[in-house]
Amino acid sequence: MFLTLTTTGTPDRPATDLGFLLHKHPGKAQAFSTSFGTAHVLYPEAEEQRCTAALLLEVDAVALVRRGKGKGRGGAPDAALAQYVNDRPYAASSLLAVALSNVFSSAMRGVCKARPERAAEPLPLRVEIPALPARGGPDLVRRLFEPLGWAVTVQTVPLDTQFPEWGDSRYVRLELDSASRTLAEALRHLYVLLPVLDDAKHYWVAPDEVDKLLRAGEGWLPGHPEQKLITSRYLSRRWSLTREAMDRLELIRLAETDDSDVEEIDNAVEAEAEQEERPTPLAVLRREAILTALRDGAAARVLDLGCGEGHLVRELLKEPRFTEIVGVDVSVRALTIASRRLKLDRMGERQAARVQLFQGSLAYTDKRLRGYDAAVLSEVIEHLDLPRLPALEYAVFGSARPRTVVVTTPNVEYNVRWETLPAGHVRHRDHRFEWTREEFRSWADAVAERHGYTVEFRPVGPDDPEVGPPTQMAVFTLTATASRTEKEAKAA
């Protein structure tokens, strides 16, 4: 990836001041390591009348895959080839935007201790990007940059100059010119609009991306005619984050119109009301109860069977006592979402060594599940048809045989307390059954007896005196006799 910034100057205001503004000396070629490659800053020309700074980003696509160990973006089997064969090393994208932010962070904030007056002064600027993905074509490029005062020259890149009949690619060559623009404004425009044009990001978009967008968009995004499109694409079309960003942008616009602060506009809720305690979600209570059971069992190596999108795995990673965490699910899509939410592709080496995700069905025995201290089946068994439960039982309790097994499942008796749940309906359309407390106890006692475990029952959530808790939990512990017999059998 390649991008150049050019300015012109006079003897009183030499163009080489660009080096001070970017905090990079024009007489040096510098290299900066990033999580996805190496960013080089160099100056093809540095004269009093004209100075050009170039950012060259070398993306190591193979290192990206190895660093994520196949667990990050593109970790699904159908995207295996796309991990290696893609346009990331060549075309401007969110990778280049992140590099701009990392390498020119002070310039993007408008900070320059050596030349503070120059940082606030508009400059004649020219930006050139030879290869830019533009999903929307030259028309969208103009719609994004021209309202910001840029003179836009955009040329579509043909698929192959030797075969013009093949037509144009989705890439363009872009030149932006402005007679009067601060460097910080220019960098913030590029930081937001490069990934918007690509309509993709190389990392999982978390809620903090809203704050990043509003910081970079300060002063120009609230009034941009394509504000909604920019916001949606920058946030990878995540509707909840887009709605939050749009609401906050509207508050900013209203505050600017009334010449007041955002806090004065956003005052519909009293401070006392904001401090009212909200009930803790049942999912949070369930994870807390599971963690307590695992701590009680002194578990260090834990299986999350049916891990879904990785909520429990994330909580386990927060506690160093859990030295090895394995998430298993039959759904490749769920595992892909889990890896993104856990940010496995950006996780440090030591932390990444503690966790792994793999596909597997709990209806079959799996040698990979053997030898762990504990296994968790959180809201899993009710998703299986009843005739398949014996297969799961044997795979977990008969084959894998962890020292502790934690099982949670809905208590159907509590359903009458859910005002929004129609009578006779289960809590989720994929639930094959929901048990009463007696049914769950009967199943758990039988499983424990067949496989050499003891079982303890614990409530999760408010324990209603009439219908019990919303979630019921069984904690299975391998008996000393069964454990000793297994050790003797292995020794023999």
Side-chain angles (χ1 to χ4, degrees), residues 179-215:
S180 182
R181 171 85 55 196
T182 67
L183 180 62
E185 288 175 341
L187 292 174
R188 289 199 295 266
H189 294 168
L190 294 170
Y191 175 75
V192 172
L193 297 181
L194 291 184
V196 167
L197 283 167
D198 190 20
D199 198 14
K201 283 200 170 184
H202 69 280
Y203 57 88
W204 175 250
V205 174
D208 63 345
E209 291 295 305
V210 175
D211 295 325
K212 294 179 185 178
L213 173 63
L214 297 184
R215 283 197 300 268

Side-chain angles (χ1 to χ4, degrees), residues 20-34:
F20 289 103
L21 300 180
L22 292 174
H23 296 259
K24 304 293 181 288
H25 196 288
K28 299 179 180 178
Q30 301 177 61
F32 304 87
S33 295
T34 71

Side-chain angles (χ1 to χ4, degrees), residues 6-277:
T6 301
T7 188
T8 55
T10 64
D12 294 335
R13 292 286 189 270
T16 48
D17 280 353
L18 182 63
F20 289 103
L21 300 180
L22 292 174
H23 296 259
K24 304 293 181 288
H25 196 288
K28 299 179 180 178
Q30 301 177 61
F32 304 87
S33 295
T34 71
S35 61
F36 41 80
T38 304
H40 302 270
V41 178
L42 58 149
Y43 289 77
E45 54 182 341
E47 304 294 338
E48 186 179 87
Q49 296 78 20
R50 182 181 170 93
C51 184
T52 298
L55 176 64
L56 173 64
L57 180 61
E58 289 184 301
V59 177
D60 189 342
V62 175
L64 273 177
V65 176
R66 288 175 178 168
R67 185 172 182 270
K69 299 179 182 178
K71 298 175 288 190
R73 178 179 177 179
D78 58 350
L81 181 61
Q83 295 179 90
Y84 296 93
V85 183
N86 53 62
D87 63 356
R88 282 183 288 177
Y90 315 106
S93 65
S94 61
L95 289 167
L96 184 59
V98 172
L100 279 171
S101 176
N102 291 345
V103 176
F104 300 136
S105 58
S106 297
M108 191 174 291
R109 298 195 309 271
V111 175
C112 180
K113 293 182 179 180
R115 298 285 192 276
E117 73 288 350
R118 291 287 273 159
E121 284 181 7
L123 306 172
L125 285 174
R126 180 181 181 86
V127 179
E128 295 182 64
I129 306 174
L132 172 66
R135 298 180 189 272
D139 178 62
L140 179 60
V141 177
R142 296 188 183 94
R143 283 160 46 202
L144 293 181
F145 284 101
E146 286 182 348
L148 300 174
W150 291 100
V152 179
T153 303
V154 56
Q155 180 180 1
T156 305
V157 176
L159 279 172
D160 194 313
T161 55
Q162 300 297 317
F163 301 93
E165 65 273 15
W166 288 2
D168 294 326
S169 69
R170 67 182 182 92
Y171 302 94
V172 299
R173 176 183 176 84
L174 177 63
E175 297 174 1
L176 302 173
D177 290 280
S178 177
S180 182
R181 171 85 55 196
T182 67
L183 180 62
E185 288 175 341
L187 292 174
R188 289 199 295 266
H189 294 168
L190 294 170
Y191 175 75
V192 172
L193 297 181
L194 291 184
V196 167
L197 283 167
D198 190 20
D199 198 14
K201 283 200 170 184
H202 69 280
Y203 57 88
W204 175 250
V205 174
D208 63 345
E209 291 295 305
V210 175
D211 295 325
K212 294 179 185 178
L213 173 63
L214 297 184
R215 283 197 300 268
E218 183 179 359
W220 63 271
L221 183 56
H224 198 291
E226 298 294 340
Q227 176 196 108
K228 186 173 182 180
L229 180 143
I230 293 170
T231 303
S232 176
R233 284 194 173 195
Y234 182 88
L235 298 171
S236 295
R237 303 180 188 273
R238 291 189 61 185
W239 68 268
S240 59
L241 299 183
T242 302
R243 184 177 61 184
E244 178 188 346
M246 293 297 293
D247 289 345
R248 290 171 63 178
L249 286 168
E250 178 62 14
L251 284 174
I252 294 171
R253 188 190 67 79
L254 291 173
E256 291 176 347
T257 302
D258 293 346
D259 194 22
S260 58
D261 295 330
V262 171
E263 291 76 11
E264 296 177 16
I265 299 293
D266 190 19
N267 62 357
V269 180
E270 296 291 338
E272 292 79 4
E274 293 179 354
Q275 297 174 2
E276 291 180 2
E277 291 188 7

